[in-house]
Amino acid sequence: MTIHYLESAADPRVADYTQLTDVHLRKLREPAEGMYIAESSRVLRRALAAGHQPRSFFLAEKWLEDLRDVLDAYPQVPAFIGSAALLEDITGFHLHRGAMAAMQRPAPVPLPELLAGARRVAVLEDIVDHTNVGAIFRSAAALDIDAVLVSPRCGDPLYRRSVRVSMGTVFQVPWARLTTWPEDLHLLKEHGFTVAALELTDDAQDVDAVAARNPGKLALVLGTEGAGMSAGTLAAVDIAVKIPMRNGVDSLNVAAASAVAFWELRPRD
């Protein structure tokens, strides 16, 4: 193990962990620097199991024994140890989930490779709440979604909160960021997908009716919180799908709706 005991919050070696509570800054820094933060021992273990490479580890001394096997497996990767108060000064919050790791962001998967063999794809349009992004990825991992595509303005699936809410399942589901929206939806159609918007429109079909047809390849587009699907996206999809509501409730949170739709629209053979 390569262990370094921290004495100052200004130590430049732990720059990866500074200002973790500044969402705007981190959304700019992390993709640009090719890294992300895996928070908690469970999540960082899942990141390592997925083949992601650590830049460093960051933990309080009391968690050292719990992660000894991980640190032994990466002897050249520095592990920074500090008191709880010092770690909080660096990150901006109390580190109560055991440990963190700064991870190298994996190379993007080319879209044709991502879609090869896929039968169910989720597409996230401008979903900016990282809690929702993480919850959707967790449902995607559990409910037979083969890949996730995110629009240019969608929240970062590898942002710390997204990763934490997903419990690391974001590492299990291949994903890619589209560059031109909503024009890139035609790429899905070229690969044989029916593109469906999960949206309450006048002509929306009940989700169970679409499920009964069991489309061979289906891409389900989920709209942003509040405003819902953009007009341009609705014009670009093949069909709209809705989850019938009861008792005067008009809609579900996008993360909850995704889980219902993923389950109902799963491949039936």
Side-chain angles (χ1 to χ4, degrees):
M1 293 184 287
T2 307
I3 293 178
H4 304 276
Y5 286 90
L6 299 170
E7 298 181 355
S8 168
D11 193 321
R13 296 174 299 175
V14 292
D16 282 349
Y17 303 96
T18 59
Q19 298 176 302
L20 290 183
T21 55
D22 189 329
V23 177
H24 177 71
L25 175 64
R26 299 301 301 201
K27 287 194 298 185
L28 296 175
R29 270 191 60 192
E30 292 185 15
E33 296 177 15
M35 57 87 66
Y36 71 90
I37 296 294
E39 182 184 355
S40 86
S41 57
R42 177 182 295 182
V43 168
L44 74 85
R45 286 178 184 277
R46 285 185 173 175
L48 296 171
H52 297 193
Q53 296 302 305
R55 292 157 62 114
S56 65
F57 301 103
F58 184 84
L59 62 156
E61 188 167 14
K62 69 177 181 178
W63 296 103
L64 185 57
E65 192 60 34
D66 182 64
L67 280 181
R68 184 171 297 277
D69 61 319
V70 171
L71 302 183
D72 285 343
Y74 295 88
Q76 303 308 314
V77 177
F80 297 105
I81 311 294
S83 68
L86 180 58
L87 299 186
E88 184 173 352
D89 284 346
I90 294 168
T91 62
F93 65 94
H94 178 60
L95 183 62
H96 61 277
R97 292 181 174 87
M100 287 184 176
M103 306 292 298
Q104 295 287 2
R105 190 171 286 253
V109 180
L111 190 58
E113 180 181 333
L114 197 72
L115 298 178
R119 301 176 63 190
R120 295 293 183 267
V121 173
V123 186
L124 314 188
E125 180 188 39
D126 298 353
I127 296 177
V128 296
D129 187 301
H130 290 96
T131 298
N132 284 335
V133 172
I136 292 169
F137 265 86
R138 188 170 183 179
S139 294
L143 300 172
D144 289 332
I145 298 299
D146 300 305
V148 176
L149 305 180
V150 301
S151 71
R153 294 190 297 181
C154 186
D156 181 11
L158 291 182
Y159 180 67
R160 179 175 61 90
R161 189 176 303 140
S162 300
V163 173
R164 185 179 73 235
V165 172
S166 81
M167 293 297 292
T169 55
V170 67
F171 310 134
Q172 298 174 222
V173 185
W175 66 276
R177 187 174 293 279
L178 301 173
T179 57
T180 306
W181 185 261
E183 290 77 10
D184 279 348
L185 289 176
H186 81 274
L187 299 173
L188 287 160
K189 298 181 182 183
E190 289 178 359
H191 282 81
F193 285 87
T194 298
V195 181
L198 187 62
E199 186 71 8
L200 293 169
T201 64
D202 291 339
D203 62 348
Q205 303 173 37
D206 282 357
V207 67
D208 52 351
V210 177
R213 298 200 296 272
N214 193 26
K217 291 185 175 182
L218 181 69
L220 186 67
V221 186
L222 305 169
T224 186
E225 302 91 348
M229 203 81 61
S230 67
T233 300
L234 285 174
V237 302
D238 298 310
I239 59 172
V241 181
K242 65 180 179 180
I243 300 170
M245 297 286 106
R246 301 288 186 268
N247 300 316
V249 178
D250 60 355
S251 65
L252 299 174
N253 165 273
V254 65
S258 73
V260 174
F262 293 165
W263 169 253
E264 187 63 25
L265 295 171
R266 69 194 185 280
R268 301 296 173 131
D269 52 23

